[in-house]
Amino acid sequence: MFPAKDKLTICFAHAAYQMQARFEARNTGIRNFQVWAYDDLVKRVGEADIVVVSGMWKNDLIPHAGKLKFIQSISSGMDQYSREQLGAKGVRLASAAGVNARAVAEHAIALILAVFRRLPEARDNQHRKMWRGMIGDLGQREDELGGKTLLVVGMGRIGSHLALLAKAFGMKVIGIRRDPSQGENGADSIYGMGDLVSLVPQADIVALTCALTPETTGLMSKAAFAAMKPSSIFVNVARGKVADEAALIDTMQHNRIWAAAIDVTADEPLPQPSPLWTMPNVFVTPHTAGETRAYEDNVLDILTENLDRLWRGETALRNQVL
């Protein structure tokens, strides 16, 4: 039985997000507490019927979580949760898919514009108090997006919104998704994941927006990077492991494409020895694509809806995983 409202305790677990403060502002009367570090989560997870968490979750917590009935993930990525272990304990699980789709798509466009308009270089020049002159070499100038072809790998909520934004700039959009029969979702044409390498040569921009799954791990392979046009750019707002990072580094070290703009890396934080930090043709943001001032409240809207469904005894949850 799922606990009644007056018997329920929620644990919010995140190192930065103000989940408890935003929840308290809703005046639900539900008992709750927040932990900011993993060690504290280990100590207190046994008190919680519900855990609202993302990157702090480790499956080693399961034996300590005797009361746990439901996990509401704060993120859309779900690779940190063992569905087998949670399912064996009867713990329900829902993602926050779509909670930041607009923000991530806008970030992808911002990365694309930053590269095409050479904004990182302009910022560096500003710090050096250097006023760059006009450039005679056409290949080194700023460029415009109109008429360019964008290949979007993953045509879900993020990818479809990115396609919409790209169309506003006058771009052609080629989409790739797991099941092309589900439709274009805003792209001009749609293909399956297996078509990636053959489609890459058509693209001025290759953007990853898909979830990390066994099928998509390493999807942007050495062969895919090798097939990119020398004038093209690579953008990743998905997960770092969707791309072969060694192949990306090799591609950028040898200047085989114009630039890369990435919000995610295989290991996060990006290790200090990584050459991605200092490559002049790589622009890195620290996994902030999904950041928005409304993030906490967007997640809490999903949590609240799922609580209502659980209290009504419904079997289906919003963004249900388990």
Side-chain angles (χ1 to χ4, degrees):
M1 292 290 294
F2 192 74
K5 183 175 181 179
D6 62 344
K7 304 293 184 184
L8 192 70
T9 301
I10 301 176
C11 169
F12 297 104
H14 199 281
Y17 289 169
Q18 304 294 316
M19 299 301 303
Q20 182 185 32
R22 297 308 306 154
F23 187 71
E24 283 292 295
R26 299 186 177 212
N27 298 312
T28 65
I30 299 173
R31 284 192 302 271
N32 64 89
F33 63 93
Q34 176 141 358
V35 296
W36 304 95
Y38 177 73
D39 288 346
D40 293 326
L41 180 57
V42 173
K43 294 173 185 175
R44 301 197 63 184
V45 70
E47 304 172 34
D49 303 288
I50 295 175
V51 175
V52 183
V53 66
S54 56
M56 199 181 292
W57 178 263
K58 298 184 188 302
N59 295 305
D60 294 345
L61 290 163
I62 295 174
H64 303 281
K67 294 176 58 183
L68 187 61
K69 300 292 190 299
F70 173 50
I71 297 175
Q72 174 63 64
S73 182
I74 297 173
S75 66
S76 57
M78 302 300 288
D79 47 295
Q80 69 268 45
Y81 305 101
S82 171
R83 303 182 191 193
E84 180 179 348
Q85 293 180 60
L86 292 171
K89 293 289 187 181
V91 177
R92 306 294 303 277
L93 175 65
S95 79
V99 71
N100 59 358
R102 183 181 298 274
V104 176
E106 290 175 359
H107 194 87
I109 282 289
L111 292 175
I112 292 167
L113 283 169
V115 171
F116 272 75
R117 302 309 305 169
R118 302 186 67 154
L119 298 183
E121 177 188 348
R123 182 68 171 184
D124 292 344
N125 288 342
Q126 177 185 343
H127 288 162
R128 293 196 297 266
K129 299 181 180 180
M130 187 187 88
W131 191 276
R132 193 205 76 191
M134 291 185 289
I135 297 176
D137 185 346
L138 295 180
Q140 296 301 312
R141 286 185 195 167
E142 289 82 354
D143 205 354
E144 54 195 74
L145 300 186
K148 297 291 190 295
T149 296
L150 169 65
L151 175 62
V152 181
V153 183
M155 287 300 299
R157 295 177 179 92
I158 296 170
S160 61
H161 194 68
L162 177 57
L164 178 68
L165 295 175
K167 289 297 193 66
F169 283 94
M171 301 176 70
K172 175 184 176 183
V173 179
I174 302 172
I176 289 180
R177 65 187 310 177
R178 183 182 58 82
D179 183 3
S181 68
Q182 292 185 6
E184 287 82 3
N185 235 12
D188 294 295
S189 56
I190 195 75
Y191 300 87
M193 294 291 185
D195 296 313
L196 174 62
V197 174
S198 64
L199 292 170
V200 160
Q202 302 178 38
D204 299 294
I205 305 154
V206 176
L208 305 186
T209 61
C210 57
L212 178 65
T213 67
E215 181 185 11
T216 63
T217 299
L219 180 67
M220 192 66 193
S221 62
K222 181 178 181 180
F225 279 113
M228 291 181 69
K229 296 193 295 187
S231 59
S232 64
I233 74 168
F234 170 70
V235 175
N236 191 358
V237 293
R239 286 293 185 269
K241 291 181 181 178
V242 176
D244 180 335
E245 195 163 283
L248 168 61
I249 291 171
D250 183 68
T251 297
M252 305 317 297
Q253 286 175 330
H254 292 89
N255 295 305
R256 296 194 183 102
I257 63 174
W258 179 21
I262 58 174
D263 184 59
V264 289
T265 56
D267 295 315
E268 296 180 2
L270 180 62
Q272 288 295 317
S274 173
L276 293 171
W277 280 113
T278 55
M279 288 178 169
N281 53 356
V282 176
F283 183 28
V284 179
T285 56
H287 204 149
T288 54
E291 296 291 325
T292 166
R293 297 177 187 182
Y295 195 99
E296 286 92 335
D297 286 314
N298 292 342
V299 172
L300 291 174
D301 286 344
I302 299 174
L303 171 65
T304 300
E305 180 178 336
N306 281 333
L307 285 175
D308 288 338
R309 294 188 185 196
L310 289 165
W311 282 321
R312 290 194 298 263
E314 296 181 18
T315 56
L317 300 177
R318 179 175 169 185
N319 293 341
Q320 177 176 316
V321 178
L322 289 174

